[in-house]
């Protein structure tokens, strides 16, 4: 009886294994760690894996080879703080007053992410994750807003939109205070900011243990202006304004991007040395398209514009336990998709009180389901811009001019098909109007930023034009 019972137990167990999907057998018991790396104003082709031939980005190229490279990833906005609202809430930023700003400028305790609004870090924290933000916040200032009020356990970085890489000030002059904080306490630390952020991320990872998952947001300010590489401390001492309109060049920009690439390399080495890499989801992307010295080819447009160059961004994902290396994926994604997608990977979900506008794309990223068609909407106050992408079709309006593009055949957005397909144009316009009724209105007090001929010669307007 004992022998027969044992035999039946073994046969039963083998039968059960036969019907269990291999992926389920291989799935680790522990929930995945998440490392979300966000660049600032990085252009589509600023990485060599996306086509840059002027310089190499070996760390991020290797990350792409070890995981997944997305070809149709979008930012929620063509400017930084607005995209960050979409990223942290999983919703269109136009649902929140602070998200209307393009971008939030200066210290703002009036506009920001409300502390009671569910966020990606707060939801992961509730699910047992240790959460940390290292780097740029740009979602409202103290005392009313901040990372520690929106779900992060720890924070080291800058509250505002930009700081000098060496002085860590959001402006120029002896009376401008540094924007560098440990939690909610101002601190001062010498060093190139990109390097400091990588160092802090390494220290955070050194403290992690396998029994508790972590969510680390590593948000660089690179390669945002001012145009300073790691050896350019003397440039910082001579700036007239932080915007640095009178400086910068391609070699300096290359050094800024490569410094970020190297910093990320140190972080990824620490993950591997700690034995955490296999079950850590690593995401790398940008908050919007590139600016003055970026490469956005083959797209036209740049930051502050709803042309593809202003909103299409590089995006890499590595999860060795689940994602096969070397994949390229054409799934259309947008910043706000990360909240439902990463929550699903962590085995939890969004708050019912604040349903996301983004969708869970984990099945597509893992290669288990086919790509799904998307309809995405944007608007941007400067030049009265609006855009819709439905499938491969895109409706774009800038300063009263309307365009219809087939992005599959014309990603550079040069052939205006509005006259050839008036019904398609009308349908997309109607969809945009209907969507817009559900968003907060763009009132006169909403700030916006754009690029004109006074700042960039290639944005000139002929004399007598409007």
């Amino acid at each position: 009886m004992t022998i027969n019972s044992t035999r039946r137990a073994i046969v039963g167990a083998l039968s059960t294994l036969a019907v269990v999907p291999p992926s389920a057998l291989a799935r680790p018991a522990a929930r995945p760690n998440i490392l979300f790396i966000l660049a600032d104003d990085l252009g589509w082709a600023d990485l060599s894996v996306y086509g840059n031939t002027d310089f190499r980005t070996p760390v991020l190229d290797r990350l792409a080879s070890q995981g997944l490279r997305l070809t149709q990833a979008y930012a929620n906005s063509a400017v930084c703080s607005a995209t960050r609202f979409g990223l942290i809430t999983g919703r269109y930023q136009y649902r929140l007053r602070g998200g209307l700003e393009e971008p939030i400028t200066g210290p703002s305790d009036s506009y920001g992410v409300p502390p009671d609004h569910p966020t990606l870090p707060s939801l992961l924290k509730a699910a047992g994750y240790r959460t940390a933000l290292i780097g740029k916040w740009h979602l409202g200032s103290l005392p009313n807003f901040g990372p520690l009020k929106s779900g992060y356990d720890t924070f080291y970085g800058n509250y505002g939109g930009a700081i000098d890489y060496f002085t860590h000030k959001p402006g120029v002059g002896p009376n401008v205070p540094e924007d560098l904080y440990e939690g909610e306490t101002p601190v001062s630390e010498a060093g190139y900011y990109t390097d400091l952020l990588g160092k802090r991320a390494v220290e955070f990872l050194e403290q992690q243990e396998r029994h508790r998952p972590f969510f680390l947001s590593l948000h660089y300010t690179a390669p945002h202006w001012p145009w300073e590489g790691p050896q350019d401390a003397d440039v910082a001492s001579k700036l007239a304004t932080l915007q640095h309109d009178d400086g910068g060049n391609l070699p300096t920009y290359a050094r800024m991007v490569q410094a970020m690439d190297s910093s990320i390399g140190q972080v990824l080495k620490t993950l591997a040395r700690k034995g955490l890499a296999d079950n850590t989801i690593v995401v790398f992307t940008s908050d919007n398209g590139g600016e003055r010295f970026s490469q956005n080819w083959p797209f036209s447009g740049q930051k502050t514009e709803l042309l593809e160059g202003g909103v299409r961004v590089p995006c890499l994902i590595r999860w060795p336990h689940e994602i096969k290396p070397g994949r390229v994926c054409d799934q259309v994604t947008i910043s706000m998709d990360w909240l439902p997608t990463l929550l699903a990977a962590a085995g939890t979900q969004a708050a019912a009180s604040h349903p996301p506008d983004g969708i869970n794309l984990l099945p597509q990223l893992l290669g288990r389901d086919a790509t799904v068609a998307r309809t995405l909407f944007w608007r941007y106050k400067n030049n009265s811009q609006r855009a819709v992408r439905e499938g491969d079709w895109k409706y774009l309006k800038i300063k009263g001019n309307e365009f219809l593009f087939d992005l599959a055949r014309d990603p550079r957005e040069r052939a205006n098909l509005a006259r050839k397909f008036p019904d398609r144009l009308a349908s997309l316009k109607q969809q945009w109007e209907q969507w817009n009724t559900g968003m907060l209105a763009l009132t006169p007090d909403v700030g916006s930023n754009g690029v004109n001929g006074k700042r960039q010669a290639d944005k000139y307007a002929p004399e007598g034009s409007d």
Side-chain angles (χ1 to χ4, degrees):
M1 290 294 293
T2 303
I3 294 174
N4 290 337
S5 299
T6 303
R7 182 180 297 146
R8 285 194 297 270
I10 293 173
V11 171
L14 291 174
S15 300
T16 301
L17 290 173
V19 299
V20 175
S23 60
L25 294 175
R27 184 179 299 278
R31 288 167 294 169
N33 305 305
I34 302 169
L35 168 58
F36 196 97
I37 307 172
L38 191 65
D40 197 350
D41 294 359
L42 188 74
W44 162 262
D46 280 339
L47 305 182
S48 39
V49 72
Y50 278 92
N52 194 324
T53 57
D54 292 341
F55 57 87
R56 307 298 298 176
T57 49
V59 172
L60 290 169
D61 294 351
R62 185 165 56 252
L63 185 70
S65 71
Q66 295 169 342
L68 174 69
R69 178 170 65 90
L70 286 166
T71 63
Q72 300 194 81
Y74 286 92
N76 259 60
S77 177
V79 76
C80 42
S81 66
T83 288
R84 292 162 196 267
F85 273 91
L87 173 64
I88 201 171
T89 66
R91 314 177 88 205
Y92 280 112
Q93 63 273 21
Y94 319 105
R95 296 187 183 280
L96 291 167
R97 176 58 184 84
L100 302 183
E101 295 294 309
E102 299 169 345
I104 293 175
T105 56
S108 173
D109 58 5
S110 299
Y111 304 131
V113 175
D116 61 349
H117 194 296
T119 64
L120 179 56
S122 72
L123 293 165
L124 287 171
K125 181 176 180 178
Y129 277 69
R130 183 182 182 191
T131 60
L133 170 62
I134 296 173
K136 178 174 173 176
W137 167 245
H138 206 189
L139 290 171
S141 300
L142 296 172
N144 295 328
F145 310 103
L148 302 188
K149 303 179 190 300
S150 288
Y152 288 108
D153 293 317
T154 59
F155 167 63
Y156 170 85
N158 59 302
Y159 274 85
I163 60 174
D164 187 276
Y165 288 86
F166 293 94
T167 68
H168 311 143
K169 294 182 176 184
V172 175
N175 297 324
V176 178
E178 293 183 47
D179 182 11
L180 187 62
Y181 284 78
E182 188 89 54
E184 298 184 350
T185 303
V187 295
S188 183
E189 187 172 0
Y192 186 66
Y193 195 45
T194 300
D195 294 341
L196 292 180
L197 297 183
K199 175 186 173 185
R200 283 303 183 105
V202 167
E203 292 174 357
F204 174 84
L205 293 177
E206 292 284 6
Q207 301 168 6
Q208 305 312 303
E209 302 296 338
R210 292 177 181 270
H211 70 274
R212 185 180 180 187
F214 65 81
F215 170 57
L216 171 59
S217 298
L218 176 55
H219 293 184
Y220 289 95
T221 58
H224 192 289
W225 43 260
W227 314 111
E228 298 168 351
Q231 307 303 320
D232 292 333
D234 60 319
V235 174
S237 66
K238 300 173 183 176
L239 289 180
T241 66
L242 200 67
Q243 202 167 50
H244 206 181
D245 285 332
D246 59 352
N249 51 53
L250 291 177
T252 297
Y253 187 77
R255 290 192 294 271
M256 296 171 71
V257 176
Q258 289 178 312
M260 179 178 64
D261 187 72
S262 178
S263 175
I264 293 170
Q266 297 303 311
V267 176
L268 296 181
K269 284 181 181 178
T270 305
L271 263 183
R273 182 168 47 78
K274 290 280 292 182
L276 299 170
D278 189 54
N279 197 32
T280 296
I281 301 172
V282 179
V283 179
F284 173 86
T285 190
S286 180
D287 60 351
N288 47 249
E291 204 186 334
R292 301 176 208 167
F293 299 104
S294 292
Q295 289 200 39
N296 288 326
W297 183 265
F299 311 123
S300 59
Q302 64 173 65
K303 178 183 176 181
T304 75
E305 297 171 339
L306 296 184
L307 289 150
E308 292 292 286
V311 290
R312 185 102 63 116
V313 291
C315 188
L316 309 172
I317 312 162
R318 188 188 75 180
W319 187 6
H321 205 284
E322 296 289 344
I323 295 178
K324 294 180 180 178
R327 284 183 56 215
V328 178
C329 180
D330 295 330
Q331 175 63 58
V332 174
T333 67
I334 191 168
S335 309
M336 62 188 178
D337 291 334
W338 288 114
L339 181 142
T341 298
L342 293 176
L343 290 180
T348 187
Q349 57 188 354
S353 59
H354 294 76
D357 294 310
I359 66 173
N360 171 22
L361 291 173
L362 190 62
Q364 285 72 32
L365 300 181
L366 298 183
R368 295 174 183 169
D369 287 356
T371 58
V372 293
R374 305 295 301 282
T375 300
L376 303 175
F377 301 90
W378 294 267
R379 69 184 191 193
Y380 197 83
K381 186 176 183 180
N382 185 262
N383 288 329
S384 302
Q385 299 178 64
R386 58 182 65 177
V388 184
R389 174 163 181 173
E390 182 185 44
D392 289 329
W393 290 98
K394 181 177 177 180
Y395 163 63
L396 178 68
K397 184 176 182 180
I398 298 182
K399 209 173 183 180
N401 301 306
E402 294 187 314
F403 304 88
L404 178 67
F405 301 116
D406 179 353
L407 294 178
R409 303 181 64 182
D410 179 29
R412 193 151 175 76
E413 297 173 291
R414 288 298 194 237
N416 187 1
L417 304 178
R419 290 184 181 179
K420 287 187 176 182
F421 300 96
D423 292 344
R424 175 74 65 175
L425 177 69
S427 173
L428 292 176
K429 290 173 63 175
Q430 183 180 19
Q431 287 185 65
W432 189 92
E433 294 289 355
Q434 183 176 359
W435 164 83
N436 191 51
T437 60
M439 303 296 132
L440 297 179
L442 285 174
T443 52
D445 61 317
V446 171
S448 188
N449 182 40
V451 183
N452 56 36
K454 293 182 180 180
R455 287 184 57 193
Q456 284 186 207
D458 63 329
K459 301 295 180 181
Y460 77 96
E463 287 189 61
S465 70
D466 58 0

